[in-house]
Amino acid sequence: MDSNAPFHLLQVSKQLESCTSLPKELISSLEGLVYESYEASRFSKPMLWVGIYMALASLLCVLALMADLLHGLRNRKLWFPCKYFTINAASLTVIAIAMKLPMDLNNSMPGKVDQAAKLGSMAFMCTIMANLLPSLSTMDNKELLTNIIALGVLVITLVVNVCIQIKTGVVSFIESGRAIHLVGRGTNLHAIAIIYAVLLMMLLIIHTCTSLAILKSKQILEPKYQARYQMALKDQELQQGKLTVEKLKQHVRNCWIMEGTSSPQFMTACSTTSSASGVICAISTAIHILIMLVVSSDMMDYGSDYKWSILVILITQFIGVMFGSVAPISRCFASLSFKLSIKWICNHIKVFKVESYWTQTLSDWKHSSLPSPFHNRKCKIVIQKLKILILTFLVGFQKGVVVTCKMIGLVPIFFVIIVFYCRQWLKVMLDASCIAIGESVRQLEQNKDLSKYVLQLEEDMEFAEKTLKGILKSVNRVIQQAEKHQPKHLLKLLEKSRGFEGVERYNSHHVPPLSGEESLDCWSLPLVTLTTIAISLPNIQNDIVDSLLSSVSEGLVYVKFVEESFNTTDDYVSIQKAAKTLWLEVEIYHQWLGNKLQKPAHQVNTVQQILQWFRDAAKNLVAEVQSMDIEGRNDDSISKSISANSMYRITQTILLSYHANIDQVSHEELFEQLSSTISDILAACLTNLPQVIAIKCHKSEIEKREASVHAAAQLLGETAQIINSLEDRELPSLNQNELPFIDKWSAYLKHPFP
């Protein structure tokens, strides 16, 4: 009704009262019906905005699905790992909002578009679940349990609500004696809704069974990974000797293969359950396409309270189904073509073997002791027998699910067999292909039999040569792409360094810290402090100053990697935090702790005056912080005190180094001296890059190894020239575990020992 509905309601009531021929009871009933119609119309007004809200939630899911699709295509990972769209509290909340249509028990759906949108939401949910399956392997045990329970509650609630709507007739609505038929004459929507409900329950069972297998699979792969990693260290002699770029490249390749084949997501994507979920996704997509083909002839047939927003929901979720189905269906074929041989396929068809890792977790629970709140022995026996009975049933059910998934997986296997034999025929017909394959085999032989670094759950399953070649290509591509982004400004600055003398002269042990306590130092803070002094000097050309800023900015990126790998105690972290905050102020705003640089007062012109101004300002800042109560000090004041203390020690060291000749030092001379010191410190710090890369290749958490090895490969590509330029320099006679610390370098260079 419009805004004048109350007035019209009053008019209708008066007209009914004027009809003296009608019984009063009938008039009262008619007035009640009119009032109820008005109330229903009033309460249905917000439903349009609810529909828009659902469409936006669906759009977020679609964008996340497309982001994962593009990520897989760009990185040539046709098993499409879940990077942007994973199961967590936020994604489940968005999915629940997008699934409101099949959850809605009360609103009628009289139009074809209304019915298609309700069923389309179920198809969209099937697509989402099939896409999210690999993300289960990225979680630890607690997260996995929590998210599976949450997903189960959502799916079961959705299925139950749909079953209620089938019973009440909301799904297959009948208006004016005419049933709405979408698929063939005489076929209503009950059957389609039931099919979707069954598919959703199958996907939920697949997710649960996969979760149980993931728990054991990680335990199986972990010792294999550790053994292969030690072998990789031994093969490349990384435990001793210099780490050259070539050694690092081969080590990164070996670790990339170990990580790639033992990646939890890759393992899950190549599993039997993943193939089955892809087939289920294909079935739900095909049904939804059929529905959309029928509805497309009458896209304006909607009459629910959601109004035109129902059409937006239908189109948005249909796009999500079409794009989202690519990844699950692709995994069916990718897992077979990447990991399985024809021999395995034949064995797979002959006998459906259930590997131990599918049921081992349940078996462990079955034979474990269960704490009982009862002290009575009979109660404990009953509980124990009941537990064994339930878990025995679950083990059998798990085996049944795996066998069923393998049977479903026969569908893509037949396609793979056809493709395989076609490919074999093309090999014979095309000599060029044979030559290319021969070259590929020789290339694999030149890479020291990389197959020994392959990790897999099933020892009798061999990787295809093209799989190893593809993995090798992917790591080479990352390194080559990174080599195109060499830090050119940093390389130019490092050319000024001929040794490491700057590490010795940047800080004097004759200048104690202002706090009176012996303080630690890190690489980044003296670099930022020295750069601050350098760019504050007047009469230096702007392009030279900008070049120094760019060089230090690029260098600090890699200094951060060194510090995060080795300098990880709380004291070091505080210093690094202070350096990071100070550098942001220096680089962006050209300020030092609130003071504008390159704009000294009229009486602050000479080198001595500038250094003394920094020294005195730093001394005052430290004194100001020390005068505060302990309760009044915060992170900001502590960072200022650390930065000011560094400035005091460095400026005082420079003043002492020139003695009485400080008045004769020009701005240009000091700038060159500071640039040389900065270059030496950067060079000393970056000699630790090979160790950083080796550390990044090995991560204790299995869920984080993929990102860590990728970061190592990218870091190696970007810093290859830096490592080569520093390779021939003679390092101090320090232990390997002392090289990452600037104070160890400084102490040794001041007092070298044989």
Side-chain angles (χ1 to χ4, degrees):
M1 292 185 182
D2 56 18
S3 58
N4 295 321
F7 175 74
H8 292 314
L9 181 61
L10 182 61
Q11 292 295 108
V12 172
S13 299
K14 289 182 178 180
Q15 291 176 5
L16 289 173
E17 291 175 357
S18 64
C19 296
T20 56
S21 59
L22 295 176
K24 291 185 178 180
E25 292 80 4
L26 180 58
I27 293 174
S28 177
S29 299
L30 291 173
E31 287 179 346
L33 289 173
V34 173
Y35 181 77
E36 288 177 5
S37 176
Y38 162 68
E39 287 294 307
S41 175
R42 184 165 66 90
F43 290 128
S44 66
K45 286 182 178 179
M47 298 307 293
L48 173 63
W49 296 104
V50 174
I52 295 173
Y53 190 42
M54 284 187 280
L56 290 175
S58 302
L59 181 61
L60 286 176
C61 295
V62 172
L63 293 176
L65 289 171
M66 293 181 68
D68 280 338
L69 183 63
L70 293 175
H71 170 71
L73 291 173
R74 193 178 74 170
N75 293 278
R76 300 184 183 181
K77 293 183 176 181
L78 298 183
W79 48 276
F80 296 102
C82 299
K83 181 178 181 180
Y84 302 101
F85 199 31
T86 59
I87 299 179
N88 52 49
S91 63
L92 288 173
T93 302
V94 175
I95 293 170
I97 296 170
M99 291 298 113
K100 187 184 182 301
L101 275 180
M103 296 279 197
D104 195 342
L105 297 173
N106 300 321
N107 284 291
S108 61
M109 296 291 173
K112 290 184 179 181
V113 173
D114 300 321
Q115 293 288 315
K118 187 179 283 285
L119 294 175
S121 293
M122 299 180 71
F124 190 44
M125 186 64 186
C126 289
T127 305
I128 288 174
M129 291 184 69
N131 273 274
L132 290 175
L133 185 63
S135 70
L136 296 174
S137 56
T138 63
M139 310 170 193
D140 57 31
N141 295 355
K142 184 177 180 180
E143 290 176 334
L144 189 59
L145 176 63
T146 304
N147 288 322
I148 280 294
I149 292 174
L151 180 64
V153 171
L154 175 61
V155 173
I156 292 173
T157 304
L158 189 153
V159 170
V160 170
N161 283 12
V162 169
C163 292
I164 293 173
Q165 293 170 68
I166 292 173
K167 183 67 176 177
T168 59
V170 174
V171 169
S172 184
F173 189 82
I174 299 176
E175 181 180 8
S176 302
R178 178 177 62 87
I180 296 176
H181 303 291
L182 294 182
V183 185
R185 180 174 296 180
T187 304
N188 58 28
L189 302 181
H190 285 172
I192 298 175
I194 291 172
I195 290 173
Y196 277 136
V198 171
L199 295 179
L200 284 171
M201 290 305 299
M202 289 177 66
L203 285 170
L204 179 59
I205 292 171
I206 285 174
H207 276 68
T208 306
C209 293
T210 304
S211 301
L212 293 172
I214 287 172
L215 297 175
K216 191 61 182 179
S217 299
K218 291 181 179 179
Q219 296 177 9
I220 294 173
L221 288 174
E222 184 60 28
K224 293 183 179 181
Y225 171 83
Q226 297 297 341
R228 295 293 200 286
Y229 182 75
Q230 292 301 321
M231 182 173 63
L233 289 178
K234 184 178 180 181
D235 286 351
Q236 299 306 317
E237 300 178 355
L238 294 177
Q239 294 174 321
Q240 57 184 358
K242 286 188 176 181
L243 299 179
T244 63
V245 171
E246 287 306 315
K247 280 185 179 181
L248 288 170
K249 282 185 178 180
Q250 191 60 43
H251 183 64
V252 169
R253 292 189 188 105
N254 297 341
C255 292
W256 188 282
I257 291 174
M258 288 189 293
E259 177 278 321
T261 54
S262 67
S263 168
Q265 289 210 56
F266 181 77
M267 172 188 65
T268 305
C270 293
S271 66
T272 300
T273 52
S274 181
S275 297
S277 67
V279 175
I280 293 173
C281 180
I283 294 172
S284 67
T285 302
I287 296 174
H288 192 46
I289 291 174
L290 181 59
I291 293 174
M292 290 298 295
L293 288 175
V294 177
V295 175
S296 61
S297 61
D298 197 1
M299 294 296 288
M300 301 307 293
D301 184 12
Y302 53 83
S304 66
D305 294 335
Y306 297 103
K307 299 180 181 179
W308 55 264
S309 67
I310 199 75
L311 184 60
V312 179
I313 296 171
L314 176 63
I315 295 174
T316 303
Q317 293 186 350
F318 177 69
I319 294 172
V321 170
M322 295 305 297
F323 282 99
S325 62
V326 174
I329 296 173
S330 177
R331 288 180 194 134
C332 294
F333 302 102
S335 63
L336 296 174
S337 61
F338 284 178
K339 197 167 183 178
L340 307 181
S341 63
I342 287 296
K343 179 181 177 182
W344 184 93
I345 292 174
C346 295
N347 292 333
H348 183 93
I349 295 174
K350 289 179 182 179
V351 57
F352 294 106
K353 176 186 175 183
V354 178
E355 294 78 9
S356 61
Y357 59 84
W358 289 104
T359 58
Q360 190 61 49
T361 300
L362 291 173
S363 298
D364 292 342
W365 293 348
K366 178 181 175 180
H367 296 99
S368 64
S369 60
L370 183 68
S372 174
F374 304 102
H375 298 287
N376 188 287
R377 182 173 174 270
K378 291 183 177 179
C379 292
K380 291 182 178 180
I381 293 174
V382 171
I383 292 174
Q384 185 69 14
K385 288 185 176 180
L386 184 62
K387 182 200 76 170
I388 293 174
L389 182 63
I390 293 173
L391 288 173
T392 301
F393 169 76
L394 291 178
V395 169
F397 183 77
Q398 178 87 335
K399 290 181 178 180
V401 172
V402 175
V403 171
T404 303
C405 289
K406 290 190 175 185
M407 293 176 65
I408 296 173
L410 291 176
V411 177
I413 284 178
F414 289 135
F415 285 100
V416 171
I417 292 175
I418 294 172
V419 173
F420 178 83
Y421 281 112
C422 291
R423 184 170 175 269
Q424 291 293 105
W425 180 77
L426 288 174
K427 286 180 182 179
V428 176
M429 297 298 295
L430 300 175
D431 293 335
S433 298
C434 296
I435 294 171
I437 293 169
E439 291 176 353
S440 299
V441 173
R442 286 193 296 272
Q443 183 181 3
L444 287 175
E445 291 175 352
Q446 292 173 359
N447 283 278
K448 298 183 179 181
D449 191 17
L450 295 175
S451 60
K452 64 183 179 181
Y453 294 107
V454 172
L455 298 175
Q456 51 196 355
L457 291 171
E458 304 170 42
E459 294 296 341
D460 59 342
M461 185 169 58
E462 296 181 0
F463 266 56
E465 289 181 355
K466 67 172 185 177
T467 304
L468 294 177
K469 180 182 176 183
I471 295 174
L472 189 60
K473 278 185 177 180
S474 64
V475 63
N476 289 337
R477 190 184 312 113
V478 172
I479 295 174
Q480 290 167 5
Q481 289 292 331
E483 287 176 346
K484 298 178 182 178
H485 301 88
Q486 296 284 335
K488 56 182 181 180
H489 296 287
L490 175 60
L491 286 167
K492 186 177 180 181
L493 179 62
L494 289 176
E495 291 176 357
K496 297 182 178 181
S497 173
R498 294 292 180 267
F500 305 113
E501 293 80 6
V503 183
E504 183 269 334
R505 64 173 178 262
Y506 90 95
N507 198 356
S508 175
H509 289 290
H510 298 293
V511 182
L514 290 171
S515 60
E517 301 176 359
E518 189 62 30
S519 60
L520 297 173
D521 209 347
C522 68
W523 298 99
S524 55
L525 186 57
L527 286 170
V528 175
T529 304
L530 290 165
T531 306
T532 302
I533 299 171
I535 67 173
S536 69
L537 297 172
N539 305 325
I540 307 297
Q541 296 179 9
N542 291 334
D543 59 336
I544 297 178
V545 173
D546 293 339
S547 177
L548 179 64
L549 279 173
S550 300
S551 302
V552 175
S553 181
E554 290 178 350
L556 287 174
V557 173
Y558 305 110
V559 170
K560 177 184 175 183
F561 286 122
V562 175
E563 292 179 338
E564 288 179 347
S565 299
F566 300 103
N567 307 158
T568 56
T569 62
D570 291 340
D571 292 335
Y572 281 117
V573 170
S574 298
I575 301 172
Q576 294 159 21
K577 182 179 178 181
K580 182 179 178 181
T581 303
L582 182 61
W583 178 247
L584 179 66
E585 187 180 6
V586 171
E587 183 184 25
I588 304 299
Y589 304 105
H590 282 221
Q591 292 182 356
W592 177 78
L593 301 182
N595 298 283
K596 194 71 176 177
L597 300 177
Q598 289 190 330
K599 287 189 177 180
H602 294 294
Q603 67 274 17
V604 182
N605 291 318
T606 66
V607 165
Q608 182 180 11
Q609 291 171 335
I610 293 172
L611 292 173
Q612 288 175 345
W613 182 87
F614 273 118
R615 181 197 61 186
D616 296 341
K619 191 174 182 179
N620 293 334
L621 280 170
V622 173
E624 181 181 343
V625 173
Q626 288 181 335
S627 65
M628 296 180 181
D629 296 333
I630 297 178
E631 294 80 5
R633 300 178 186 178
N634 52 28
D635 291 343
D636 183 56
S637 61
I638 294 173
S639 294
K640 285 184 177 180
S641 177
I642 293 172
S643 300
N645 199 10
S646 175
M647 177 63 76
Y648 171 79
R649 297 190 69 185
I650 289 177
T651 50
Q652 187 68 3
T653 298
I654 297 173
L655 288 169
L656 290 175
S657 65
Y658 284 105
H659 301 292
N661 299 325
I662 187 67
D663 291 334
Q664 302 175 10
V665 179
S666 65
H667 297 149
E668 292 78 8
E669 183 180 351
L670 180 59
F671 185 89
E672 287 299 319
Q673 186 69 24
L674 293 172
S675 298
S676 177
T677 303
I678 292 170
S679 177
D680 289 348
I681 294 175
L682 279 171
C685 177
L686 299 183
T687 56
N688 294 285
L689 279 176
Q691 291 293 340
V692 173
I693 294 170
I695 289 173
K696 281 187 171 294
C697 286
H698 178 64
K699 202 75 174 177
S700 58
E701 302 90 345
I702 189 172
E703 296 84 5
K704 298 180 180 179
R705 283 175 188 159
E706 180 179 3
S708 184
V709 175
H710 188 280
Q714 189 167 358
L715 180 61
L716 174 58
E718 292 179 3
T719 60
Q721 291 186 28
I722 296 175
I723 296 173
N724 283 330
S725 66
L726 301 175
E727 183 178 342
D728 296 331
R729 295 199 185 186
E730 185 178 354
L731 299 178
S733 299
L734 296 171
N735 295 330
Q736 191 69 35
N737 57 356
E738 293 179 330
L739 289 174
F741 300 93
I742 190 174
D743 50 354
K744 301 293 184 182
W745 281 71
S746 180
Y748 174 84
L749 292 172
K750 291 181 188 300
H751 305 288
F753 49 85

